[in-house]
Amino acid sequence: MPALKTTYTLLSGIILCAVVGLVVMAASYNRAFTDTSSAVHHTLVVLDETQQALSAVLEVDEGKPPDEIGKYVRILQQSTVDNKVQQARIDTLTRLIAAFSHRPAPERSDKSVRSAYTNSLRAIFLGMQREENRLLAVREQANAKSRDMLKSAIFVLLIVIFTLLCVSLLLILYNFRRRQLAEKGLLESEQRFSLLVQHVKDYAIFMIDPAGKVMTWNRGAEQIKGYKASEVIGQPISLFYTDEEIDRQEPQENLKKAAELGSFESVGLRRRKDGSVFYADVVFTCMRNEKGEITGYIKITKDITEQMKAEEEMKQALRREKDLNEMKSRFVTLASHEFKTPLSVILSSTSLIEKYSAPEMEDKRMRHVHRIKSNVKNLRQILSDFLSLEKLEEGVIKNNPTPTDLHQLAEEAILDMEESCKPGQTIALEVNGDPRMVNVDDHLLRNILNNLISNAVKYSPESAPIRCILQFQPETVNFMVVDTGIGIPAEEQEHLFERFFRAANTSGISGTGLGLSIVRRYLDLMDGRIEVSSEPGKGSIFTIMLPAVAEPGYALTSQRDSHQRH
């Protein structure tokens, strides 16, 4: 812990400074003690020399030669060179010795003279002894004081060191106790967290080591991914990724981004134990120690497949709503244009019929009646297209197959369209193969056939033949509508089944552009398909193919090879 480390560093510095200071103080006191001890020894030496000099003076007093006194005076002069008082006495001694030495021998032998001389020497030597005894007392006192101070310094040093050691020990014990409590709290917290994580079912929560291998596993991970803990711990996290993501090194990249950013979230496909895939919202969190080294990762995974489905359904609903609104808007625009011409024709024809009341005008009346019927039929077809498209968008129309006689259905569809034929146009029905009852939605198929035949009539010229070919095959039933009309430009055929699309060569012919779009939607419901082959100016062939296996028990005994209406 940084705070504990700082405390230890500060305490170590204080202890070091205290020890250094006390060592310097002890060294200073020790040096003072050594100096005073040397001074005491020096004083004792001087006292010894003085005592020997006094012994020499006694011998002079007894009539012995005074040669030894000069020797001791020279020694004392050297020993007391730092003491001016003693040097003054040495100077006096030197003069006395010189004066006594220069006297005649009879005088030196005179007992009274010699006694006066020795008394003077003795007095000076005794004064020197008193001076040295004083110095000895002072230096002994200083020596004792230095010794006591040295002892005190050492004692204080030991007390300080002991105190600091005790403080350090208490601090260490305090921090150790705190760490124990923190570790205990952390352990309890980890245990509670682990217990909580283990019981989480909606999220896969587990730890990953720095190498990308699974370290822990909770119940949610087992439920979402299908693996038990014994099967997955120690395995790399690439086990949960699809082959495409592994090829892109997605697992390593996710961990790398988590290490760089601290936390990283991604959404993608993940693989379960059984091989199935699901959409997952995954969050990686990088864990580091106090030194900043990566110790592992925490990975939280949530299965959002249902959420993604709901969002996609919502988007589709919004698209349908948008398309429906667009369709309604275009319907209003188209209706205002497409309804105007038929209504004008109906209105004018109605007015003219009123004028053709005479019996001889029957032909003119019937021609206008036919015009009225034709335009009403166009209006009905426009409304039918819009209603069909709206029902398709809302999902109201469903495929409800029932056993159906397709031959009869085709005949009825052709019969319905005969009234719309232009003068001279013919619609011929050809049947190939063995007719049979098949399971189809007759309502949807009738609307498909009406739309295709109606287009063939609309876009073919007068007196042009229209062929309808019904082909019974083992697994399918094909219905072809062949005309010799205006055809469709090749570059526009790919847009033919889009809503409101009309080819460039149909501008003079009324229509909504919805018929073929509705046909395609109906065929999608019936699991069928449609193909077109067309050439401008030569005509078009529309072929629808429906899966239509024979319905057991409904085989037809009669075969109709062809049928033609005029």
Side-chain angles (χ1 to χ4, degrees):
M1 294 180 290
L4 185 60
K5 185 177 180 180
T6 303
T7 303
Y8 287 158
T9 303
L10 181 61
L11 186 58
S12 300
I14 293 173
I15 293 175
L16 181 61
C17 291
V19 171
V20 171
L22 290 172
V23 168
V24 171
M25 187 184 297
S28 175
Y29 290 153
N30 182 62
R31 185 169 60 253
F33 174 74
T34 303
D35 292 343
T36 53
S37 296
S38 299
V40 169
H41 176 71
H42 177 70
T43 302
L44 290 175
V45 170
V46 173
L47 285 173
D48 184 60
E49 295 296 334
T50 303
Q51 186 62 40
Q52 292 183 18
L54 284 173
S55 298
V57 170
L58 182 61
E59 291 178 352
V60 172
D61 191 40
E62 292 177 351
K64 295 180 178 180
D67 297 337
E68 296 292 331
I69 295 176
K71 182 183 70 173
Y72 289 119
V73 170
R74 287 192 296 273
I75 294 173
L76 290 172
Q77 186 179 19
Q78 294 175 358
S79 300
T80 60
V81 69
D82 59 338
N83 193 328
K84 294 181 179 180
V85 176
Q86 297 291 54
Q87 287 295 306
R89 290 192 176 97
I90 295 296
D91 292 342
T92 302
L93 284 172
T94 304
R95 288 195 297 271
L96 283 175
I97 293 171
F100 184 73
S101 298
H102 286 91
R103 287 189 177 192
E107 289 183 5
R108 291 199 299 269
S109 301
D110 187 1
K111 188 175 182 180
S112 60
V113 174
R114 190 171 60 250
S115 179
Y117 171 66
T118 55
N119 287 336
S120 296
L121 292 176
R122 187 180 292 110
I124 293 172
F125 281 124
L126 289 173
M128 291 184 70
Q129 278 190 336
R130 287 193 295 271
E131 175 65 17
E132 292 300 323
N133 285 327
R134 185 186 68 80
L135 290 174
L136 181 62
V138 171
R139 288 171 177 174
E140 282 286 358
Q141 185 178 3
N143 197 11
K145 185 177 180 181
S146 297
R147 186 168 53 249
D148 291 341
M149 291 182 69
L150 179 60
K151 291 179 180 179
S152 299
I154 294 173
F155 182 71
V156 170
L157 176 62
L158 293 175
I159 291 177
V160 169
I161 293 174
F162 179 76
T163 302
L164 291 175
L165 288 175
C166 290
V167 171
S168 300
L169 180 61
L170 291 174
L171 185 61
I172 291 171
L173 291 175
Y174 172 72
N175 284 286
F176 180 72
R177 179 60 178 168
R178 284 186 59 190
R179 170 170 280 186
Q180 278 188 323
L181 293 175
E183 289 177 351
K184 182 179 179 182
L186 179 62
L187 180 61
E188 291 176 352
S189 177
E190 288 179 350
Q191 289 175 345
R192 288 194 296 269
F193 178 75
S194 177
L195 186 63
L196 176 64
V197 167
Q198 286 299 323
H199 286 81
V200 172
K201 296 182 180 179
D202 297 333
Y203 292 85
I205 305 175
F206 55 95
M207 294 181 66
I208 307 168
D209 65 15
K213 295 183 179 179
V214 179
M215 298 171 62
T216 63
W217 199 246
N218 77 324
R219 187 176 299 177
E222 181 178 338
Q223 180 172 324
I224 293 174
K225 298 181 181 291
Y227 292 94
K228 294 187 178 297
S230 58
E231 296 174 321
V232 77
I233 290 180
Q235 297 295 323
I237 60 172
S238 58
L239 184 68
F240 314 127
Y241 286 76
T242 61
D243 295 337
E244 292 79 7
E245 290 176 321
I246 294 174
D247 293 339
R248 296 197 306 266
Q249 296 186 338
E250 189 79 12
Q252 296 86 342
E253 287 297 320
N254 287 344
L255 295 181
K256 182 179 179 182
K257 290 178 181 177
E260 292 174 354
L261 304 176
S263 181
F264 175 70
E265 182 175 4
S266 68
V267 176
L269 289 175
R270 293 295 183 270
R271 185 168 56 188
R272 294 188 177 93
K273 180 181 178 181
D274 59 7
S276 62
V277 295
F278 64 98
Y279 279 100
D281 184 356
V282 184
V283 178
F284 293 88
T285 302
C286 181
M287 298 184 298
R288 298 179 182 270
N289 58 18
E290 296 177 354
K291 298 180 181 179
E293 299 171 342
I294 296 176
T295 59
Y297 303 87
I298 295 178
K299 182 180 179 184
I300 303 176
T301 302
K302 182 182 179 182
D303 185 351
I304 59 171
T305 304
E306 294 301 324
Q307 179 181 337
M308 294 290 287
K309 288 182 179 178
E311 290 179 359
E312 185 60 29
E313 290 175 358
M314 184 179 295
K315 289 179 181 179
Q316 291 179 358
L318 290 174
R319 282 196 296 268
R320 286 196 300 270
E321 184 68 22
K322 182 179 178 181
D323 292 344
L324 189 58
N325 289 334
E326 181 183 353
M327 183 193 69
K328 291 177 180 179
S329 176
R330 295 189 68 172
F331 168 72
V332 172
T333 303
L334 186 63
S336 64
H337 178 267
E338 294 294 332
F339 284 13
K340 184 177 181 180
T341 300
L343 289 174
S344 298
V345 172
I346 292 172
L347 180 61
S348 64
S349 295
T350 304
S351 300
L352 290 171
I353 288 174
E354 292 177 350
K355 296 178 180 181
Y356 300 148
S357 57
E360 63 274 12
M361 296 181 175
E362 178 68 20
D363 291 341
K364 293 182 177 180
R365 285 200 304 271
M366 292 307 298
R367 186 170 65 250
H368 286 291
V369 169
H370 181 75
R371 290 181 66 191
I372 291 172
K373 288 182 178 181
S374 177
N375 283 278
V376 169
K377 189 174 184 65
N378 288 338
L379 291 175
R380 186 177 64 184
Q381 183 62 43
I382 293 172
L383 289 173
S384 176
D385 287 347
F386 277 104
L387 291 174
S388 297
L389 184 60
E390 183 174 7
K391 290 179 179 179
L392 283 169
E393 293 292 341
E394 293 177 351
V396 175
I397 297 178
K398 304 293 183 181
N399 179 31
N400 298 307
T402 57
T404 304
D405 183 351
L406 295 186
H407 190 171
Q408 181 180 348
L409 180 65
E411 287 183 335
E412 292 174 356
I414 292 173
L415 184 62
D416 290 340
M417 291 294 107
E418 282 185 342
E419 292 183 1
S420 302
C421 289
K422 298 174 183 177
Q425 284 183 339
T426 60
I427 304 175
L429 173 63
E430 300 176 14
V431 180
N432 299 327
D434 296 328
R436 63 180 184 273
M437 300 288 287
V438 293
N439 250 353
V440 294
D441 188 318
D442 60 340
H443 176 71
L444 296 182
L445 183 57
R446 184 185 297 273
N447 287 337
I448 292 171
L449 295 179
N450 286 342
N451 200 300
L452 293 178
I453 298 172
S454 174
N455 284 345
V457 170
K458 184 189 302 183
Y459 297 113
S460 295
E462 294 181 358
S463 302
I466 298 170
R467 297 170 59 204
C468 297
I469 304 172
L470 179 60
Q471 297 176 335
F472 288 93
Q473 297 182 358
E475 300 293 334
T476 62
V477 172
N478 300 340
F479 196 96
M480 303 171 63
V481 177
V482 183
D483 66 62
T484 56
I486 61 176
I488 306 164
E491 65 275 9
E492 295 183 352
Q493 291 181 17
E494 60 179 327
H495 304 291
L496 197 57
F497 298 99
E498 296 176 5
R499 286 184 305 178
F500 298 105
F501 175 79
R502 302 199 72 204
N505 58 351
T506 63
S507 57
I509 304 173
S510 64
T512 63
L514 294 175
L516 292 178
S517 173
I518 293 171
V519 167
R520 168 69 66 83
R521 297 287 294 274
Y522 281 165
L523 288 172
D524 289 341
L525 290 174
M526 300 172 70
D527 295 327
R529 58 192 181 92
I530 184 170
E531 294 179 354
V532 60
S533 173
S534 182
E535 187 176 349
K538 293 185 178 181
S540 303
I541 301 175
F542 286 86
T543 304
I544 62 172
M545 290 152 279
L546 295 171
V549 179
E551 181 69 14
Y554 289 97
L556 298 178
T557 57
S558 63
Q559 178 176 355
R560 296 164 234 182
D561 296 329
S562 66
H563 181 73
Q564 182 171 353
R565 299 284 187 202
H566 302 279

